[in-house]
Each structure stands twice: as structure tokens, then as C-alpha cells.
């Protein structure tokens, strides 16, 4: 993948630091996490020669991706219709913040802002808290995954029908789609807003015992579990009056959760996890990253690569989360230095 960057500093992510850690000449860990294995060329699209090179590159590419605000790419003459004029079978991907039209179309397409406008923030946290952002750039991640699905469909159309395709998505569309279960319930229940649980909330439309619970040491997550089984294993006969069949697990969820909380707080999460799991109750101890990475299961996944760099220590990066014919692809390099691959790309694509 060839990454076209601004000559003046390149991708903003090069200097957008998640911590004080810098890699390979000062670029942030964020940049290398996102751009590992890519190639970089620097083109000033405000200058005729830079724009001409970008247009020539697009005319030869199998896939062209852009995430400018609506209207910018058209002014540059690099929009789908312009590229298709010289590259009829191009698979062209566009990502925006809120779609190409409408009153929000010119607003900044940034993850936190998209989360704020999507309603998603009212699904996490407890009932007495305000809106809670998801702790990862979920909109960015979902938009990338959605775009990849569309690109695969486009490549299939290119291979089988020799046609091009324009794939469009936005941060807002992907966040709305991620809430499809919740929004479907909302739209078909008289538009009643869901209520988060008072404590340990984990799903606004699932009844007790679903959620997180404090124990004597650590936290325990409980998923869907038959009330009778839980009553037996926790020695809580009071739970038996809450039948799973009539939905009382939802209408009485605070009372149920309080009963379970009083029991679980008497022992540590590790022992509860072992005992309840053995009884067929779906539960999991809440782990920190250190516990996850040191677990045997994580180590057997072999999902971390060590990549050589100019530093004394190799850089650890995550490998792809899938295998092909039993093999997981390795990460062969860091993110590129700004304009590192200009000479080779210039020669390969005859960019003058």
C-alpha cells in the first residue's frame, strides 16, 4: 500500500503521541501501529506537479482510498468519476465523517466527535453517570473494517465483470450499524430510551444477572445464565422467584443484581470464576493487559511480532487477527519514513 503524505510533516499521526514513547526517528507508536508495512511518498497536492503525479498514480492503481471532507477531492480532480475516466475498473473507497450530504457533511470526521453524535455514549457506564465514550477509536476501526468489506466486493466485481466500483461509508454510519440491536429495539418499542443498570452495567437491553460484579479481589463478569442454576450454585434461593420465562430478569434486574453482588463480594474473582465455570455458568474474571498477555491462551495465539528498528530494542507490533491455511502473516517492517519510497514508486509508475 502506497501512502501519499503531505511533504510538510506528513501524516498527523507521526506526531500524535499516545505516550512519551517514540520509535525509529521520533515518530509516535500510534503512527507505526497504523502504518506498519506501508510505503510512503510525499506529494504537495496544492502544486501542479504534485497533483499531476497523484492523478497519474491513481490512473494505474487497483484501489484508491481517500478520506477528505466532501468536496475537497472533487476540487483536486481525484474523485471517483475523474479517476474512473482514466482507470475504468478502479475500486475506489471514500470515508467521511457523516456522509457526503446533509448539514453535518462539512464537520470534522473525528472519532470522539462521531461517537458523541451517534448516541453510543449513552450505552456504557452506570445509570447515574453521564455519557461514556468507548475507550478505543471505535468509529475509525469500524469504518476501516466496513470499507475493507466493500473493497473486497469491488475487487470481486473487477475480477468477474471487469468493472469499477465506488465504495462509500462514514464514521456515523458505522457507529449506527454497530448499535443495530439496540436501535432496532428502540425503534420498535415506542422509542423508549434504554436505562443503564445502577452499577456494573454492561448491556442496556439485557436483564440480570448480565453485567460486572465486584468481588473481594477483582471483578467478575456474568453473562446470560438460567436463574435456577445460579440460585443453586450461589446458594441464593431468593433468586428462584425471578423466572427467566416472564422477563422478570429485566424488570427486577436491580433487585437481582443486589442479591448476587452481596454474595460475590465474599470471595475473590479467581475462585468464583473457577467454581462457577465448572458448573456451566458463563463468567469471566476481568483482566488487565498484563494478565492477558501473560496468559497461556494469548501466548499460543502468537499475535505479537518483534520488528527490528534503529533502536537498541526491537519494536513489538501486533500481527493480523486471522490465519490463512493455518498461517498468520508476519509484520515485516515499521511504518515508513516520510517519502521513503518516492524513488521506487516514481520509477514503477513513471511519475515525472
Amino acid at each position: 500500500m502506497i501512502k501519499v503524505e503531505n511533504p510538510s510533516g506528513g501524516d498527523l499521526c507521526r506526531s500524535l503521541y499516545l505516550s512519551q514513547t517514540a520509535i525509529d526517528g521520533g515518530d509516535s507508536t500510534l503512527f507505526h501501529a497504523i502504518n506498519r508495512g506501508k510505503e510512503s511518498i510525499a506529494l504537495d497536492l496544492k502544486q501542479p506537479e504534485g497533483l499531476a503525479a497523484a492523478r497519474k498514480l491513481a490512473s494505474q492503481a487497483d484501489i484508491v482510498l481517500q478520506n477528505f471532507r466532501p468536496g475537497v477531492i472533487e476540487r483536486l480532480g481525484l474523485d471517483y468519476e475523474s479517476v474512473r475516466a482514466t482507470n475504468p475498473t478502479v475500486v475506489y473507497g471514500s470515508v467521511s465523517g457523516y456522509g457526503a450530504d446533509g448539514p453535518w457533511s462539512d464537520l470534522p470526521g473525528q472519532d470522539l466527535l462521531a461517537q458523541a453524535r451517534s448516541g453510543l455514549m449513552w450505552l456504557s457506564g452506570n445509570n447515574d453517570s453521564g455519557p461514556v465514550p468507548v475507550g478505543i477509536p471505535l468509529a475509525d476501526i469500524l469504518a476501516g473494517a466496513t470499507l475493507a468489506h466493500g473493497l473486497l466486493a469491488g475487487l470481486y466485481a473487477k475480477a468477474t465483470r471487469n468493472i469499477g466500483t465506488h465504495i462509500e461509508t462514514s464514521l456515523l454510519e458505522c457507529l449506527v450499524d454497530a448499535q443495530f440491536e439496540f436501535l432496532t429495539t428502540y425503534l420498535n418499542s415506542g422509542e423508549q430510551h434504554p436505562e443503564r443498570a445502577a452499577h456494573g452495567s454492561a448491556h442496556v437491553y439485557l436483564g440480570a444477572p448480565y453485567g460486572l460484579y465486584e468481588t473481594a479481589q477483582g471483578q467478575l463478569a456474568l453473562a446470560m445464565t438460567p436463574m435456577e442454576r445460579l440460585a443453586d450454585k450461589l446458594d441464593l434461593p431468593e433468586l428462584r422467584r425471578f423466572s427467566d420465562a416472564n422477563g422478570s430478569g429485566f424488570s427486577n434486574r436491580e433487585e437481582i443484581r443486589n442479591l448476587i453482588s452481596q454474595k460475590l463480594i465474599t470471595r475473590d474473582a479467581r475462585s468464583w470464576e473457577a467454581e462457577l465455570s465448572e458448573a456451566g455458568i458463563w463468567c469471566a474474571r476481568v483482566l488487565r493487559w498484563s494478565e492477558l498477555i501473560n496468559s497461556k491462551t494469548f501466548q499460543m495465539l502468537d499475535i505479537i511480532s518483534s520488528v527490528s528498528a534503529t533502536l537498541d530494542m526491537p519494536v513489538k507490533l501486533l500481527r493480523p487477527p486471522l490465519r490463512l491455511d493455518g498461517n498468520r502473516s508476519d509484520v515485516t517492517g515499521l511504518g515508513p519514513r516520510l517519502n521513503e519510497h518516492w524513488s521506487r514508486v516514481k520509477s514503477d509508475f513513471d511519475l515525472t
Side-chain angles (χ1 to χ4, degrees), residues 320-352:
L322 76 166
R323 296 184 179 90
L324 301 178
D325 295 328
N327 298 310
R328 192 190 304 279
S329 298
D330 215 343
V331 178
T332 57
L334 299 173
R337 295 185 179 87
L338 180 61
N339 208 32
E340 179 180 351
H341 302 93
W342 168 248
S343 296
R344 191 191 62 71
V345 173
K346 179 183 178 182
S347 174
D348 288 351
F349 291 87
D350 190 26
L351 305 181
T352 55

Side-chain angles (χ1 to χ4, degrees), residues 159-227:
T160 58
R161 298 164 58 196
N162 199 36
I163 61 172
T165 308
H166 186 193
I167 297 95
E168 299 176 88
T169 190
S170 69
L171 303 185
L172 182 62
E173 288 170 89
C174 294
L175 288 176
V176 167
D177 182 67
Q179 301 173 80
F180 73 97
E181 295 174 273
F182 305 88
L183 280 170
T184 300
T185 301
Y186 171 76
L187 293 170
N188 292 281
S189 63
E191 298 191 356
Q192 302 258 337
H193 279 281
E195 291 290 330
R196 294 170 290 180
H199 56 89
S201 181
H203 194 300
V204 293
Y205 281 126
L206 285 180
Y210 198 96
L212 297 182
Y213 296 83
E214 291 292 334
T215 72
Q217 184 175 352
Q219 297 79 29
L220 189 74
L222 285 180
M224 295 78 69
T225 298
M227 208 69 73

